[in-house]
Amino acid sequence: MSREQALVTTDWAEQHLDTPGLVFVEVDEDTTAYDGGHLPGAVRINWKTELQDAVRRDFVDRPGFEKLLSEKGISNDDTVVLYGGNNNWFAAYAYWYFKLYGHQAVKLIDGGRKRWELDGRPLVTEVPDRPETSYTAQEQDLAIRAFRDEVVAAIGTQNLIDVRSPDEFSGKLLAPAHLPQEAAQRGGHIPTALNVPWSKAANEDGTFKSDAELAELYAAVGLDDSKDTIAYCRIGERSSHSWFVLSELLGKKNVKNYDGSWTEYGSLIGVPVETGSGA
Amino acid sequence: MAPLTASSCAAPEQTVELPEGTNTTDQAVVQGRVLADAAPVGGAFVRLLDATGEFTAEVVSSPEGVFRFYTAPGTWTVRALSRAGSGQADLAVTTGVFEVDVPVAR
């Protein structure tokens, strides 16, 4: 995978809005942002109600994903072009999620909604009417998804990358600072994890930094390319952003996203937790 | 303590009034408006940066230009990016509610 395959510019996106075979999909942290205006022709996927199981803490299962994409009018042959707000956190999460269920033709708009709005590009409120399809998903590709036991086993043996802010990493904050600081779990990080905040991979306008800058970012903290890598954050969306950088832009092998992330790990009994800067 | 939910990374609406029940004894609430020539700027991208300049959080300002962060005592920078330009403001906070306006200009 490479930048050319995985990423498109807002300019490219605007020029290709009407191209058959492309489906633009908005996935937002703020699930109401779509209602206020979205890219012409774009459909919405709600990460909370449509990608997560309503009862268990897990993703919708394979038949559920097939039903969702069929209803959205997305076929197996379509190229899905994702974008969203808040620096593409949830769009990157959806990108990883589409790959998890085997949809390979997927791209992310560099900078997402923020870059699009700062560019002053058109937003519309009309909701497109796409005919239903009969989508077939693959079994989950667990080569890109990490579970808690392998995370515990990775302590001291694999690259663990904590992509939260330094204050969350140290345990000073329990959540990103746009949210009230209330949570039941312990603060801190997984021992031996490197703290590379997701934001270091992005520019202020939400676009990704250059490949050279990104390669230097991870080299500088001592990421060992001979080892497998697991990225995590609080609920797995910011780490999808860093997974995208490592796997899709830099082409590193054997990179997994731990979607359980700190909300799971920081609530486990018996696992080691480290506080402080870790430096 | 509110129950832990996996959905709690969703951005809360940026309301003018502090949400009822907000805990102001354990955390620092940093709030204010984004202004361009004293006029509120809605839809601005507002970031909270820590004392080293590292990103901590981002919200989109309300139509009244209002933003709000929930954080810890310390020194912070609030930086705004919008079609009307960019700008930033620094502040030091303890626990409680702190107001800061962020002027933006091209």
Side-chain angles (χ1 to χ4, degrees):
Chain A
M1 194 48 63
S2 68
R3 180 175 289 253
E4 291 68 33
Q5 292 168 287
L7 202 59
V8 297
T9 63
T10 49
D11 202 39
W12 183 95
E14 188 174 359
Q15 288 167 18
H16 289 81
L17 287 174
D18 298 324
T19 304
L22 292 185
V23 184
F24 289 80
V25 179
E26 174 160 338
V27 187
D28 247 309
E29 178 183 42
D30 171 7
T31 54
T32 63
Y34 179 91
D35 299 324
H38 48 264
L39 271 60
V43 299
R44 160 170 55 187
I45 290 181
N46 185 316
W47 71 273
K48 214 182 296 184
T49 59
E50 294 180 318
L51 294 180
Q52 305 208 2
D53 189 279
V55 177
R56 299 175 311 120
R57 187 172 172 212
D58 204 348
F59 300 146
V60 297
D61 60 12
R62 180 179 165 184
F65 189 69
E66 291 176 334
K67 181 168 177 285
L68 173 69
L69 264 62
S70 298
E71 288 171 358
K72 298 289 177 187
I74 298 171
S75 73
N76 286 83
D77 297 332
D78 285 327
T79 294
V80 174
V81 184
L82 292 158
Y83 74 95
N86 209 348
N87 304 284
N88 269 334
W89 284 5
F90 285 87
Y93 171 79
Y95 180 106
W96 170 77
Y97 196 113
F98 271 71
K99 290 272 179 173
L100 187 69
Y101 274 121
H103 196 97
Q104 298 304 328
V106 52
K107 295 176 186 295
L108 196 58
I109 298 179
D110 201 11
R113 242 194 117 90
K114 184 200 264 186
R115 185 66 259 167
W116 188 273
E117 289 184 20
L118 289 171
D119 288 347
R121 297 180 194 275
L123 294 168
V124 302
T125 53
E126 299 92 67
V127 175
D129 183 23
R130 299 185 61 85
E132 188 162 336
T133 63
S134 181
Y135 188 88
T136 306
Q138 307 298 309
E139 288 299 331
Q140 286 191 15
D141 177 8
L142 298 183
I144 62 171
R145 186 182 189 195
F147 294 94
R148 60 178 179 268
D149 289 347
E150 55 189 307
V151 171
V152 174
I155 295 171
T157 63
Q158 292 185 24
N159 297 310
L160 285 165
I161 300 186
D162 186 318
V163 315
R164 297 173 300 162
S165 65
D167 283 341
E168 292 175 84
F169 182 82
S170 71
K172 182 177 173 185
L173 296 182
L174 288 164
H178 61 282
L179 302 166
Q181 297 296 313
E182 52 194 15
Q185 84 279 25
R186 301 305 175 102
H189 57 266
I190 303 173
T192 74
L194 304 168
N195 184 208
V196 185
W198 72 273
S199 53
K200 287 191 183 299
N203 298 305
E204 190 174 57
D205 67 357
T207 57
F208 290 99
K209 290 186 176 168
S210 71
D211 287 352
E213 288 172 309
L214 295 172
E216 170 58 25
L217 172 64
Y218 296 101
V221 294
L223 185 75
D224 185 345
D225 281 335
S226 71
K227 295 178 178 175
D228 295 351
T229 299
I230 298 173
Y232 73 94
C233 59
R234 175 176 145 93
I235 60 168
E237 84 299 6
R238 283 175 286 175
S239 50
S240 296
H241 186 277
S242 295
W243 173 87
F244 180 87
V245 170
L246 291 162
S247 174
E248 308 299 279
L249 297 183
L250 295 178
K252 292 189 185 295
K253 305 294 180 205
N254 304 323
V255 184
K256 292 186 178 187
N257 181 30
Y258 171 37
D259 55 276
S261 275
W262 194 256
T263 52
E264 176 175 79
Y265 190 94
S267 300
L268 291 174
I269 290 177
V271 296
V273 170
E274 198 170 78
T275 56
S277 70
Chain B
M1 282 285 183
L4 178 64
T5 67
S7 61
S8 56
C9 253
E13 188 186 347
Q14 301 299 294
T15 54
V16 174
E17 298 299 327
L18 191 67
E20 202 173 321
T22 299
N23 178 341
T24 57
T25 56
D26 295 343
Q27 63 184 350
V29 178
V30 173
Q31 60 183 24
R33 290 174 303 162
V34 180
L35 301 173
D37 292 331
V41 179
F45 302 96
V46 189
R47 297 189 148 192
L48 184 72
L49 309 175
D50 71 14
T52 69
E54 185 55 56
F55 174 97
T56 304
E58 180 172 310
V59 296
V60 178
S61 63
S62 75
E64 301 85 5
V66 170
F67 61 84
R68 181 172 296 115
F69 297 105
Y70 304 87
T71 188
T75 303
W76 303 95
T77 297
V78 182
R79 177 162 174 79
L81 192 63
S82 76
R83 294 273 288 161
S86 58
Q88 63 189 54
D90 300 329
L91 77 165
V93 300
T94 54
T95 54
V97 181
F98 296 83
E99 300 274 348
V100 60
D101 286 342
V102 181
V104 294
R106 287 219 164 270

